[in-house]
Amino acid sequence: MRQVHALHRLEPANNDHLAALRVATSVAIPSLILLLLGRADLIIYAVFGALTGMYGRSEPHQLRLRHQSQAALVLVGGVAVGVFLSVNHLHSWWLVAIEAVLAGVGSVYSDRVKLKPNGPFFGILALGACASVPLAVPWYVALAIAAGAAAFSMAVGFGGWVRGRSWQRGAARDVVILRGATGRAAAVHAARYTLAVGLAGSIGVLSGSGHPHWAMAAAAVPLAGADFPSRVRRGIHRIVGTFLGLAVTAVVLVPEPWALAPLFAAHQVVVLGVLVIIFQFTTELFMTRHYGLAMVSFTPVILLMTQLAAPSDPTVLILERGVETFVGAVVGILVAVAVRQRTVEQRAVRSPLLRPARRPGE
């Protein structure tokens, strides 16, 4: 019943509008530049780079800069691997195997540097999405767009320092020592990611889906929870929020029976690009307050970017997104149930997890 009640509980606000404005700005500028250049198909690479701005939202400026540089490694790395797979036409089982392995590696890295949002989700989402669309430019151009958007989002995140000039001497991000009980807990958690992502992707490939990476990304979502109840709750939020987001997407993309889509026909590319920016703002507005509400906005972001990069039948696109998300989230919840290792996790919680990062010269 607690999980049911959590579906409609909104957490207290914490300057969410400021964080949302930073992320929206980080997404908007590179996306609008690409729209002006007539290359809306490349917005997907800019957005994944710009998602760097989602990290370190409540930290002091110098810590946010460090946090976002660590996140940029995950996001731009995911884009790079996805572009490599796309260029070499490595899909299906190649995608499943590589993404499952990197999900485990990303989990360890995320635990080590304490990424917030938790886990490798956005990295593997970028990997799968970029691998699934044909590359219309040289690979280094796509990578440069993602890296440039990440650098711009870091500049936006640090921009407040220019106004406040607040600098905390000696401030450093904590470093998790992955050894002993903590190391075992991190290894078990990485195994969860590898198992869930690999299993969900395998189901997607065997079912003949055109987007198995959506199932793999959805399988990673529940595992980002701090404990077993929160993992189940995140899985439920993912399913419900995605289905509501698909309804929003249908209003925009499907011409019948809606009357809205034909109004966009003359300037559809521009409208879709602007909607990506707007929906990313509302995603970040609710990301820490209610994950399900955030997914209502984030689902259109992903589908509209995909449609801009590789246009297809929107009805099929929406249907596959719904099926793959449901399958992936259920797989993620089942893996969380099956691989609990409660004793290991409890010992890790009780153990001294953190030590301050070394300062230069120490």
Side-chain angles (χ1 to χ4, degrees):
M1 290 304 298
R2 285 197 301 269
Q3 305 310 317
V4 173
H5 293 157
L7 284 174
H8 53 78
R9 185 178 68 239
L10 196 64
E11 300 297 333
N14 183 24
N15 289 326
D16 301 282
H17 63 288
L18 296 178
L21 185 60
R22 285 197 301 266
V23 175
T25 302
S26 301
V27 170
I29 301 303
S31 299
L32 291 175
I33 291 174
L34 290 170
L35 280 175
L36 290 174
L37 294 175
R39 295 310 304 262
D41 57 316
L42 303 179
I43 285 178
I44 188 171
Y45 306 109
V47 170
F48 280 123
L51 290 184
T52 299
M54 297 181 69
Y55 293 80
R57 57 186 290 161
S58 59
E59 291 181 326
H61 291 102
Q62 71 268 35
L63 297 191
R64 181 186 299 151
L65 184 65
R66 182 173 178 81
H67 195 165
Q68 290 183 348
S69 67
Q70 294 165 338
L73 180 62
V74 173
L75 286 162
V76 178
V79 171
V81 175
V83 167
F84 173 81
L85 295 177
S86 178
V87 168
N88 292 280
H89 306 289
L90 298 174
H91 305 296
S92 190
W93 294 110
W94 278 103
L95 175 60
V96 173
I98 291 173
E99 189 162 333
V101 170
L102 291 184
V105 173
S107 172
V108 174
Y109 177 76
S110 175
D111 289 343
R112 178 76 170 81
V113 301
K114 298 183 65 182
L115 288 183
K116 298 289 183 181
N118 298 330
F121 168 74
F122 289 104
I124 63 175
L125 179 63
L127 188 163
C130 294
S132 69
V133 298
L135 195 62
V137 293
W139 64 268
Y140 51 83
V141 174
L143 197 56
I145 291 172
F152 177 71
S153 69
M154 291 167 63
V156 171
F158 193 70
W161 179 84
V162 176
R163 176 175 54 84
R165 300 295 178 94
S166 58
W167 191 273
Q168 296 185 7
R169 288 187 176 275
R173 298 201 74 230
D174 290 331
V175 176
V176 178
I177 307 303
L178 300 181
R179 63 183 177 215
T182 307
R184 290 191 293 273
V188 170
H189 200 40
R192 289 192 193 100
Y193 273 104
T194 300
L195 177 61
V197 171
L199 182 57
S202 298
I203 294 173
V205 171
L206 292 173
S207 68
S209 168
H211 300 86
H213 65 281
W214 286 339
M216 291 189 278
V221 168
L223 304 181
D227 52 26
F228 176 69
S230 64
R231 290 166 191 161
V232 174
R233 183 167 61 248
R234 282 178 65 87
I236 296 172
H237 277 224
R238 178 71 178 194
I239 294 170
V240 175
T242 295
F243 284 1
L244 293 175
L246 291 176
V248 175
T249 307
V251 173
V252 177
L253 290 181
V254 180
E256 297 291 345
W258 317 107
L260 188 59
L263 298 178
F264 297 159
H267 305 286
Q268 187 179 34
V269 170
V270 174
V271 171
L272 295 185
V274 172
L275 286 176
V276 167
I277 298 168
I278 295 173
F279 282 129
Q280 187 56 53
F281 173 81
T282 53
T283 296
E284 186 63 15
L285 196 62
F286 292 103
M287 184 59 75
T288 61
R289 301 188 66 190
H290 193 289
Y291 186 75
L293 281 178
M295 287 304 100
V296 176
S297 295
F298 192 61
T299 298
V301 169
I302 298 300
L303 292 183
L304 298 184
M305 288 195 309
T306 302
Q307 189 71 354
L308 287 171
S312 62
D313 184 345
T315 303
V316 175
L317 195 71
I318 290 170
L319 179 61
E320 288 192 345
R321 176 69 174 186
V323 172
E324 296 297 329
T325 296
F326 180 80
V327 169
V330 170
V331 168
I333 292 172
L334 292 177
V335 169
V337 172
V339 190
R340 295 179 67 176
Q341 292 293 317
R342 183 179 304 170
T343 303
V344 173
E345 290 179 345
Q346 287 178 344
R347 285 203 305 267
V349 170
R350 292 195 298 265
S351 66
L353 297 181
L354 308 176
R355 73 177 181 192
R358 290 182 180 272
R359 299 191 187 100
E362 288 187 344

